[in-house]
Amino acid sequence: MQRACVVFVLLLAMSAPGATRGASHEPRYKSEFTYDEQLLEKMIRMEAEMDKWETRMNEQLGQLTSLREHIDHLMKTEDFRLELIQDAFVESRNNLTALLSRADSQVQQLIEKIKKGRV
Ligand SMILES: *[C@@H]1O[C@H](CO)[C@@H](O)[C@H](O)[C@H]1NC(C)=O
């Protein structure tokens, strides 16, 4: 990627009007040597910029990765909590069903006693 950018810049510089060897040769370059030298310096500066940029991108990528891991962890924890809540809900429902069934049979027994005049 970086190499491709440098090649692109080089091609761009060579196709620029200042790079042609005609009458349009820019006067701010004393000689072809000075021009090449300045172009090289420019390329070196750009490469250094790209290195810095790449480092920054890698740092941000690292931060994104750790953020993603954190979110994954939170989601797993949340799933676990939901499972616990669901289990508790099922247990409560079972307990309630058992309680209602016991109450029902006690009511039935009471009704039978009343019918037999024992209460
Ligand atoms: C369900 O009943 C069992 C046994 O009586 C009890 O230990 C448990 O705490 C109950 N669960 C809930 C959620 O009420």
Side-chain angles (χ1 to χ4, degrees):
M1 151 87 180
Q2 209 168 298
R3 190 131 316 185
C5 280
V6 170
V7 169
F8 175 73
V9 168
L10 189 60
L11 286 175
L12 197 70
M14 291 200 310
S15 67
T20 56
R21 281 152 219 271
S24 65
H25 204 105
E26 283 186 35
R28 68 187 160 114
Y29 301 111
K30 285 194 196 99
S31 68
E32 222 164 287
F33 176 74
T34 315
Y35 175 78
D36 287 348
E37 201 180 36
Q38 290 190 359
L39 185 62
L40 192 66
E41 275 171 16
K42 202 182 257 180
M43 279 171 59
I44 288 167
R45 276 201 304 272
M46 287 194 75
E47 193 157 1
E49 283 297 312
M50 279 182 218
D51 279 348
K52 272 192 245 164
W53 183 76
E54 199 176 348
T55 305
R56 270 213 310 275
M57 289 302 281
N58 282 337
E59 278 170 14
Q60 290 187 352
L61 202 66
Q63 282 173 5
L64 278 179
T65 305
S66 84
L67 186 66
R68 203 204 126 137
E69 278 164 8
H70 189 62
I71 288 172
D72 281 351
H73 176 72
L74 276 181
M75 280 171 76
K76 271 189 201 135
T77 309
E78 206 52 42
D79 277 356
F80 181 66
R81 278 168 56 178
L82 278 176
E83 260 174 53
L84 285 183
I85 290 169
Q86 200 176 8
D87 288 352
F89 175 77
V90 169
E91 193 182 320
S92 297
R93 198 183 53 189
N94 289 343
N95 281 5
L96 192 63
T97 305
L99 203 65
L100 283 175
S101 149
R102 267 214 310 278
D104 195 46
S105 77
Q106 278 174 0
V107 168
Q108 287 300 324
Q109 281 172 14
L110 194 60
I111 289 171
E112 290 303 315
K113 281 181 185 172
I114 291 168
K115 275 185 188 164
K116 289 173 183 167
R118 279 199 241 137
V119 172

